[in-house]
Amino acid sequence: MILTVFKRIPLLLSAALLAATAQAQTFSLDQVAARAKALVDQPYQKPVSNLPPVFSGMQFADYMKIQPRSDKFEWRDQKTPFKLAFYHQGMQFNSPVLIHEIVNGRLQEIGYSTDRFYFGGLHFDKESTARLGYAGFRVIYPVNRADKEDEVMSVLGASYFRVIGRGQVYGLSARGLAIDTAMLSGEEFPRFTEFWIQRPAAGDKQLVFYALLDSPRATGAYKFTLTPGQDSVLDVQARVFLRGEVARLGIAPLTSMFLFGPNQQSSRRNFRPAIHDSNGLAIHTGAGEWLWRPLNDPQNVEVSSFEVTNPRGFGLLQRGREFSNFQDLKDRYDLRPSAWIEPKGDWGKGSVQLVEIPTADETNDNIVAYWLPAQLPAKGVPMAFDYRIHWTTDEAAILKDEVGWVKQTFHTDGELTQANLIRSFDGTTALLVDFTGPALAKLPAGAPVKPQVSIGNNGELIDAQLQPNPAINGWRLTLRVKIRNVAQATELRAALVSGSKVLTETWSYQLPPRSDVQRTF
């Protein structure tokens, strides 16, 4: 995962906001937006580390020894199911964030104290922590059992945050904003620099908090409303201001990891059939089409754009989450949620962009997806983006039974069965696509089902075979293709239809270019 540091907002601005809020007895997104707009006309202040060497030089294992004390959770003495815990500074988290509590419309800073943490046997001079602070926070809520306090949200590193629901474990992350991802000029990582968290009442099932975002070329104000549950939901209201030219402005970005799976097998022996937090990008276009793009771990950075006007939804999903598909008892990829972005209102013209970055192991997030507006406003003109993020393990429910979906994609060498029944490789590439879902299962017996298949100029479709797959109560499409130049990407699309009716989402697949093989058919 790419993580960056936080910065502290000038105390003069914070004091002004505190005074204004105390007088008004209210707090709202408009106030944070006014802060964000004011920052546009001020020089960007790069965060300065306040960490002593004993903390800045930590390895990850030592940093993880610093854990919050449950008896010191914020709101421990309040009659609310929500609690707050905090992340200590350390490693690259070398500049503190300001965290305020909103109580009856008034603000009060939640002060730093070493008493909130266990330090796991780490030895340091207590004087070295005198001017430290918090790197982020955690939201605690009994999502699994009424008598068990569970961490349901983590806010740590630049504008990153993660959420889980019942029975889930942390996987992919969301971000406040992405700037120039996968650009040769380098990516810019905006930071949440200050938070205001509403103290919940005893019966509240939601937690509301606000965040101020800052970076060299953008600022932003955010309101988050977290609703933990079977599938936790996070409602986001974002007000973004540009303070400089941006080539790619990623709205509602998601960051995940894909190392290998059935569509791209591991080159090394591994007892795990798959390692990934997500295995595909799903898109619901404004025109009503559903798209599914299986993920790759490419040899070079690959950027794919899907033009969409007024998207109805997009997300990075974990399909085929049965434990047998992963066999990993330690990391439990089968329990990691999908994240589905549901825009509120019309977002206009733009595209959903997918970035796939090479990675050698599962410790690096190498997948990014976001909405890219077609046009950006002038400096200081606000952009409003409201959306809901569903953190779910029920991927089928996202499609609402409108169409069938791709359960799995398999990539292998093409083969033919000879007269002596022995299978022989024929030099083609084979792709097997399993479609399933109620839309297919409810088809009347004998209903005509046909595939619609297309392939880009770099490939030739040799054969397409469709057959029922009773194991999943669906269908299997087997494609054999010849790639003309393996050093170039090859795009394929397929869907199942019955007459003029589209039965499934569109499988949109890319065979990424390969630099290790120079074979041309």
Side-chain angles (χ1 to χ4, degrees):
M1 178 182 297
I2 303 172
L3 296 174
T4 58
V5 299
F6 294 79
K7 68 182 284 290
R8 182 179 288 271
I9 295 299
L11 293 178
L12 180 61
L13 285 176
S14 296
L17 183 59
L18 284 167
T21 302
Q23 183 178 5
Q25 290 289 303
T26 60
F27 193 87
S28 69
L29 180 61
D30 290 340
Q31 289 175 281
V32 186
R35 279 280 302 277
K37 183 171 176 33
L39 283 175
V40 168
D41 296 321
Q42 299 179 16
Y44 173 69
Q45 296 187 15
K46 185 177 180 180
V48 178
S49 173
N50 66 341
L51 283 184
V54 66
F55 285 97
S56 62
M58 278 182 174
Q59 297 296 315
F60 183 72
D62 283 337
Y63 180 70
M64 291 303 294
K65 291 179 182 178
I66 307 176
Q67 292 295 319
R69 292 178 50 168
S70 60
D71 61 324
K72 298 293 184 179
F73 285 170
E74 192 73 14
W75 305 329
R76 171 59 71 199
D77 59 346
Q78 301 295 318
K79 293 182 179 180
T80 171
F82 288 96
K83 304 290 184 291
L84 285 182
F86 303 96
Y87 285 100
H88 200 279
Q89 286 184 259
M91 301 192 307
Q92 67 265 48
F93 310 116
N94 59 13
S95 184
V97 296
L98 289 175
I99 301 177
H100 308 278
E101 182 183 15
I102 309 171
V103 185
N104 298 324
R106 294 182 176 272
L107 303 181
Q108 55 192 35
E109 184 176 349
I110 301 177
Y112 165 79
S113 172
T114 55
D115 293 341
R116 292 184 183 270
F117 300 95
Y118 292 112
F119 288 89
L122 298 175
H123 299 287
F124 55 90
D125 181 358
K126 286 193 175 181
E127 187 66 24
S128 66
T129 67
R131 287 191 289 267
L132 297 185
Y134 301 125
F137 65 92
R138 317 164 192 248
V139 179
I140 313 298
Y141 184 87
V143 73
N144 290 298
R145 299 198 318 261
D147 61 345
K148 182 177 181 294
E149 294 180 327
D150 303 295
E151 183 177 326
V152 295
M153 185 173 186
S154 169
V155 182
L156 177 69
S159 66
Y160 285 83
F161 54 90
R162 297 193 290 179
V163 177
I164 52 176
R166 188 172 304 143
Q168 301 171 12
V169 302
Y170 282 138
L172 80 169
S173 303
R175 284 194 267 169
L177 198 66
I179 294 179
D180 287 357
T181 304
M183 298 282 291
L184 292 177
S185 58
E187 183 168 3
E188 181 176 306
F189 291 89
R191 302 169 179 87
F192 287 141
T193 59
E194 195 164 354
F195 296 95
W196 298 265
I197 307 174
Q198 179 75 53
R199 180 191 290 181
D204 286 353
K205 301 298 183 183
Q206 296 179 324
L207 180 70
V208 176
F209 66 95
Y210 304 82
L212 179 68
L213 180 139
D214 193 20
S215 78
R217 288 180 289 165
T219 68
Y222 290 74
K223 178 181 179 181
F224 297 94
T225 303
L226 173 66
T227 309
Q230 179 72 42
D231 289 343
S232 290
V233 172
L234 187 70
D235 289 298
V236 182
Q237 293 177 262
R239 305 294 180 262
V240 179
F241 302 84
L242 296 181
R243 69 191 328 169
E245 291 188 6
V246 173
R248 291 178 183 168
L249 185 71
I251 303 298
L254 299 172
T255 301
S256 191
M257 180 274 295
F258 179 90
L259 188 61
F260 62 82
N263 67 299
Q264 186 184 42
Q265 298 175 3
S266 175
S267 59
R268 300 177 180 178
R269 295 180 65 181
N270 199 306
F271 76 93
R272 296 170 290 186
I275 296 179
H276 49 71
D277 289 339
S278 311
N279 62 353
L281 167 68
I283 302 172
H284 191 196
T285 73
E289 183 183 14
W290 292 89
L291 297 172
W292 173 250
R293 178 59 164 258
L295 301 178
N296 288 301
D297 173 21
Q299 293 184 352
N300 302 290
V301 175
E302 297 291 331
V303 180
S304 303
S305 293
F306 303 84
E307 290 189 6
V308 182
T309 298
N310 296 326
R312 300 184 187 181
F314 68 94
L316 293 173
L317 309 188
Q318 181 82 307
R319 287 186 179 172
R321 60 173 52 257
E322 295 82 3
F323 176 77
S324 59
N325 290 337
F326 301 96
Q327 295 292 344
D328 194 319
L329 288 171
K330 176 179 177 290
D331 291 322
R332 297 308 302 265
Y333 293 102
D334 57 306
L335 300 180
R336 302 191 178 200
S338 298
W340 177 251
I341 306 290
E342 183 182 349
K344 296 181 179 179
D346 293 339
W347 283 10
K349 293 183 178 181
S351 60
V352 175
Q353 196 161 85
L354 172 67
V355 178
E356 298 167 301
I357 304 168
T359 183
D361 56 61
E362 66 267 38
T363 62
N364 297 308
D365 282 352
N366 64 321
I367 304 295
V368 187
Y370 47 79
W371 166 254
L372 190 69
Q375 291 185 333
L376 296 178
K379 175 182 176 180
V381 177
M383 292 176 283
F385 297 97
D386 296 348
Y387 54 96
R388 170 171 287 184
I389 310 178
H390 300 264
W391 305 82
T392 180
T393 54
D394 187 4
E395 289 74 25
I398 293 172
L399 288 93
K400 304 179 179 65
D401 294 342
E402 290 185 18
V403 292
W405 63 86
V406 176
K407 182 177 179 63
Q408 193 58 271
T409 300
F410 303 91
H411 179 195
T412 186
D413 291 330
E415 61 185 17
L416 292 174
T417 302
Q418 302 176 99
N420 59 4
L421 302 185
I422 296 176
R423 296 184 180 185
S424 175
F425 297 117
D426 66 350
T428 64
T429 292
L431 293 154
L432 289 74
V433 188
D434 280 346
F435 292 92
T436 189
L440 297 177
K442 294 176 182 179
L443 287 173
V449 179
K450 295 182 179 180
Q452 286 185 340
V453 183
S454 62
I455 187 169
N457 294 332
N458 193 43
E460 177 186 354
L461 181 63
I462 303 301
D463 189 33
Q465 298 289 334
L466 182 66
Q467 63 186 111
N469 185 343
I472 61 170
N473 204 13
W475 295 79
R476 171 167 291 180
L477 175 63
T478 301
L479 306 176
R480 288 171 42 246
V481 301
K482 273 192 174 182
I483 309 303
R484 293 189 170 93
N485 186 350
V486 296
Q488 297 179 6
T490 305
E491 297 279 349
L492 301 98
R493 289 168 62 94
L496 303 187
V497 300
S498 180
S500 60
K501 183 179 181 180
V502 178
L503 300 175
T504 68
E505 64 185 1
T506 299
W507 173 78
S508 175
Y509 192 73
Q510 182 188 75
L511 285 167
R514 296 178 59 185
S515 58
D516 58 336
V517 179
Q518 298 299 324
R519 181 178 59 190
T520 300
F521 289 100

